[in-house]
Amino acid sequence: MELYTIGFAKKSAREFFESLKKAGVKRMIDIRLLNTSHLAGFAKKEDLEYFLSAICKASYLHLLDLAPTQELLDGVRKTKLPFAEYEAAFQALLQKRRAIEKLDPKLFAIPCCLLCSENSPVHCHRRLVAEAIRKRLPQIEVVHL
C-alpha cells in the first residue's frame, strides 16, 4: 500500500491534480489547520472537494487531529522556531491527541494522499504524519508527490 503526500504551494492546479490522477489517489486527507483561506487558491476546502471529485474521482477528508496548533505554526512563522524543535513539539502533540492510534487502518485500503501547503515535505508536518502512520502500519510505503 502506498500513502502519498503533497503540498499545493508552487504548483499549478494542472500539476497538482495531474500528480494525484497519475498516482491513482482516491482519498485526500487534508491535515492543514486552516483549509478555507483565500490564499489557498484552488486548494480551499469547498473548491478542493469539487475538483477532487470531478477530476480524480476522489473523496476528501479533513482530519484536524493531524494538524499542528496555531501556536506551533506561529512559532515557525513568527519566532523562527528551529524545525527540530517544531518536529519534537508536533510529535508530542500527535501522541497527546493519540492521533495516529485513532486512525482506522481501513482508511488506507484505497490510495490516500496527505495534503498540506508546503511545497517540500522536508520541513513539513505531512512528512512527520506519514512517518508516524508508516511506523504504525509498516506495510505502507510513503511517496511524496
Side-chain angles (χ1 to χ4, degrees), residues 72 84 86-96 127-128 131:
L72 275 175
Y86 171 88
E87 183 173 355
F90 182 70
Q91 288 170 335
L93 178 65
L94 288 178
Q95 288 179 353
K96 179 181 175 183
R127 176 182 59 82
L128 304 176
E131 289 171 357

Side-chain angles (χ1 to χ4, degrees), residues 22-134:
K22 183 177 178 185
V25 169
K26 293 301 174 198
R27 179 179 292 126
M28 177 66 70
I29 302 172
D30 189 341
I31 61 172
R32 297 174 291 170
L33 178 63
L34 306 171
N35 65 352
T36 58
S37 169
H38 70 282
L39 298 175
F42 65 83
K44 288 184 299 209
K45 179 186 185 292
E46 293 80 17
D47 293 337
L48 186 58
E49 284 181 295
Y50 170 77
F51 291 135
L52 285 168
S53 176
I55 298 170
C56 302
K57 309 292 185 249
S59 63
Y60 173 88
L61 181 62
H62 187 211
L63 295 180
L64 278 171
D65 271 357
L66 301 178
T69 61
Q70 189 63 53
E71 180 182 19
L72 275 175
L73 290 175
D74 288 346
V76 171
R77 293 179 185 148
K78 294 179 181 174
T79 64
K80 305 297 183 205
L81 180 71
F83 190 76
E85 290 178 37
Y86 171 88
E87 183 173 355
F90 182 70
Q91 288 170 335
L93 178 65
L94 288 178
Q95 288 179 353
K96 179 181 175 183
R97 291 176 175 168
R98 297 183 55 234
I100 304 302
E101 293 172 42
K102 290 181 197 175
L103 292 174
D104 184 345
K106 294 177 189 168
L107 184 68
F108 305 100
I110 61 174
C112 294
C113 185
L114 301 177
L115 171 70
C116 194
S117 59
E118 294 294 325
N119 184 44
S120 168
V122 175
H123 291 111
C124 181
H125 80 285
R126 74 176 187 270
R127 176 182 59 82
L128 304 176
V129 170
E131 289 171 357
I133 291 170
R134 186 171 191 286

